[in-house]
Amino acid sequence: MGPLNGIRVVDLTAMVSGPVAATILADQGADVIKVEPIQGEQMRFMGAPHNGVPATFFSCNRGKRSIALDLKSNEGKDVLRDLVRQADVLIENFRPGAIERMGFGEAALRALKSDIIAVSINGFGEQGPYAQSRVYDPVIQALSGATDIQADRTTGRPAMFRIIIADKVAALTAAQAIASALYHRERTGEGQAIKVSMLDAMISFFWPEGMGGLVYAEREFDVRKEQGTMDLIFETQDGHITAGTVSDKEWAGLCRALRREDLIDDERFATSMARIVNADVRKKIVADAVSAWSSAEILARFQAEGVPSAPLLNRTELLDNAQVVANGTISRTEYAGFGEVRQPVPPARFSKTPSEISGPAPRLGEHGRSILAELGYDEARQQAMIDAKTLRIPRD
C-alpha cells in the first residue's frame, strides 16, 4: 500500500502535464479516476497503438481507472458531481476560465466537497498576453530560456530539448504541491486551490545554475559567455564518453588517468577558477588525450582515479546497463493483451509504504460501469446513459 492509499483523485487532464502528475499519485497508492470525453483524450491517438493503447499514453496513464463521459450533458455533469463528492483531489489542465464555464470552478467544487484540493495546470498563468493561447511544450521551451540554454555553443543557434520537458517539470511540481496540500489538510481540515503554470515551473527549474547570471542584479552577466563552447562529451577510439572534474583532487586524477601529469600544476588549470576561465583550451586538451583510448580502457582508468565518468548510452543500451539493472530501475511486467511491458519503477523508494505500478493504462471507458456502480447507479441507469451516448464503455 502506497503512502496515498485511500486518497481518491479525479483526473480531468489530457496530454502530458496533468496525466503524469496524476500517475505519480497513482504510483503512490491513490485511486485515480481518469474522466475522459466520449471520444477519448488526444494522447490516445498519438503513436501506434498496441492493444489499442499507444506507448506514450500508457506511460502517462498507468494504474488509473477510466470513465468516458459527455461532460456537456446534464447526465455527464451529474456523474462528475458525484465523483467530486467522494474525491480528495481534482486535477484539470484546461485553459484559464474553462473549468468555470463548465460549472466546476473552485466555488462549485467546494460546495460539493468543502475540503477538496482543486488543482489547475496551465501553460502561461491566468493573466498576461499568452494566458488564453494554446500551448505545447516547444512554446514553453521558447519562452523559458530553454532554447538559449540548449543553444549550439559554437554557432549560437538556439536548440530545443528533444523531449517533452516542460509538461513533465510541471507534472512534478504539481504532484509535490498536491502532497503538501494534503498534508496541510490533514493538519487543519482545509482544502485549497493549487495553480501551476508550465512557464513558471520551467523557469524555476532552470534558475539555480541556468540563470546564475541573473541572480544578483548589481552583478548581472551573460551566462553564455562563461560556459565555454564545448560540452563534456569526448570521442574515444570506439565511441563516446563523458568525464568531468570540479575539485583539484578530481582534476589531478583525470590527469593521471590520461598520463598527462604535466597538466596538474599547469597554471591554466591549477585551480577551479583557472579551469573555468580556460575551459575551452582545457576541454580541447582533454578531448585530444581521451581520443587515444578505447572507451572501456579510459573509463576504467577514470574510475580507478575517482573521476566522475560514464559511457554515453543509447536508449536501448540502458535496459542492460549494470547500474540500471542493479537499481532495478526498469520493471518488466506481463499484462494481458500487452505482453511484457517495461516501465521505470517509481523513483522515490519508501521504506514503509512502497510505491508500485498498480496496473496498465486503461482502455477508454474501461471502468465506467464499475465506477458508476460505486456511485450507486444501477444497471438500468447505466444502460440509459450508454443509449443516450453520454457514457461510453469499450466493446469486448
Side-chain angles (χ1 to χ4, degrees):
M1 295 292 186
L4 295 181
N5 180 49
I7 296 296
R8 174 167 285 185
V9 178
V10 174
D11 176 12
L12 293 177
T13 66
M15 298 301 288
V16 176
S17 61
V20 170
T23 290
I24 293 170
L25 305 180
D27 287 347
Q28 294 179 1
D31 174 21
V32 178
I33 298 176
K34 185 175 180 68
V35 180
E36 298 186 62
I38 288 291
Q39 70 274 16
E41 70 127 306
Q42 184 62 41
M43 190 59 76
R44 286 192 180 273
F45 309 103
M46 300 179 69
H50 177 52
N51 192 32
V53 179
T56 300
F57 181 89
F58 189 109
S59 298
C60 291
N61 293 282
R62 66 192 187 210
K64 301 177 184 179
R65 297 194 287 164
S66 170
I67 184 169
L69 297 170
D70 177 5
L71 291 179
K72 294 180 181 180
S73 70
N74 291 330
E75 293 89 346
K77 289 180 178 180
D78 284 343
V79 173
L80 182 54
R81 291 187 186 98
D82 288 338
L83 286 171
V84 169
R85 290 186 180 100
Q86 296 186 5
D88 300 283
V89 180
L90 181 140
I91 312 176
E92 53 89 6
N93 63 349
F94 306 127
R95 276 184 277 184
I99 193 72
E100 285 79 12
R101 290 191 293 274
M102 289 173 60
F104 291 92
E106 184 186 359
L109 293 175
R110 214 155 298 289
L112 297 168
K113 184 76 183 298
S114 62
D115 63 352
I116 197 165
I117 310 299
V119 185
S120 175
I121 303 172
N122 58 53
F124 308 101
E126 298 191 329
Q127 306 295 326
Y130 285 90
Q132 291 299 321
S133 299
R134 295 185 64 82
V135 62
Y136 291 113
D137 195 272
V139 179
I140 300 299
Q141 290 201 41
L143 285 176
S144 66
T147 56
D148 185 42
I149 291 170
Q150 289 297 100
D152 185 287
R153 293 183 181 180
T154 300
T155 66
R157 187 183 190 279
M160 289 188 175
F161 289 87
R162 295 181 180 178
I163 58 170
I164 301 173
I165 186 172
D167 286 78
K168 288 180 282 188
V169 169
L172 291 167
T173 303
Q176 188 279 325
I178 290 166
S180 293
L182 288 169
Y183 177 63
H184 174 78
R185 193 185 70 169
E186 183 69 19
R187 291 187 302 163
T188 67
E190 294 177 334
Q192 61 183 301
I194 299 171
K195 299 183 185 298
V196 176
S197 90
M198 293 164 63
L199 180 59
D200 289 353
M202 277 284 276
I203 291 175
S204 178
F205 180 75
F206 288 143
W207 200 268
E209 87 297 0
M211 310 294 189
L214 304 180
V215 172
Y216 299 122
E218 294 181 356
R219 302 185 64 183
E220 182 178 320
F221 63 91
D222 188 344
V223 176
R224 293 171 297 182
K225 296 178 180 178
E226 304 292 333
Q227 62 189 5
T229 59
M230 295 177 63
D231 292 314
L232 289 176
I233 296 175
F234 301 111
E235 186 171 359
T236 66
Q237 290 180 340
D238 56 359
H240 294 84
I241 67 163
T242 187
T245 64
V246 174
S247 70
D248 294 343
K249 182 178 180 181
E250 291 166 347
W251 171 248
L254 180 142
C255 294
R256 288 192 296 269
L258 292 172
R259 295 178 181 162
R260 288 297 310 271
E261 288 86 349
D262 59 297
L263 298 173
I264 295 175
D265 297 319
D266 188 313
E267 64 180 10
R268 296 172 298 174
F269 317 122
T271 66
S272 294
M273 182 55 66
R275 290 191 291 275
I276 292 172
V277 171
N278 297 293
D280 283 351
V281 64
R282 171 176 54 84
K283 293 176 185 177
K284 179 65 168 61
I285 291 171
V286 171
D288 290 343
V290 168
S291 66
W293 300 83
S294 71
S295 295
E297 289 173 328
I298 195 57
L299 286 171
R301 292 179 66 84
F302 282 156
Q303 289 295 314
E305 293 286 354
V307 178
S309 56
L312 270 60
L313 302 179
N314 66 40
R315 280 164 276 194
T316 301
E317 289 171 336
L318 71 83
L319 289 171
D320 298 315
N321 176 262
Q323 186 61 57
V324 173
V325 172
N327 287 358
T329 302
I330 308 298
S331 71
R332 299 168 185 258
T333 307
E334 292 285 335
Y335 290 117
F338 292 100
E340 181 185 89
V341 176
R342 301 161 177 165
Q343 290 283 288
V345 300
R349 311 289 178 95
F350 294 84
S351 64
K352 301 295 185 182
T353 55
S355 299
E356 63 177 0
I357 298 171
S358 60
R363 293 178 295 158
L364 177 60
E366 180 177 349
H367 305 94
R369 282 191 178 278
S370 60
I371 290 169
L372 289 180
E374 291 173 9
L375 296 174
Y377 289 52
D378 61 24
E379 289 191 10
R381 190 173 178 187
Q382 293 175 33
Q383 190 59 51
M385 291 183 64
I386 294 170
D387 293 342
K389 296 183 169 52
T390 56
L391 172 71
R392 177 174 175 173
I393 61 172
R395 297 175 180 175
D396 295 326

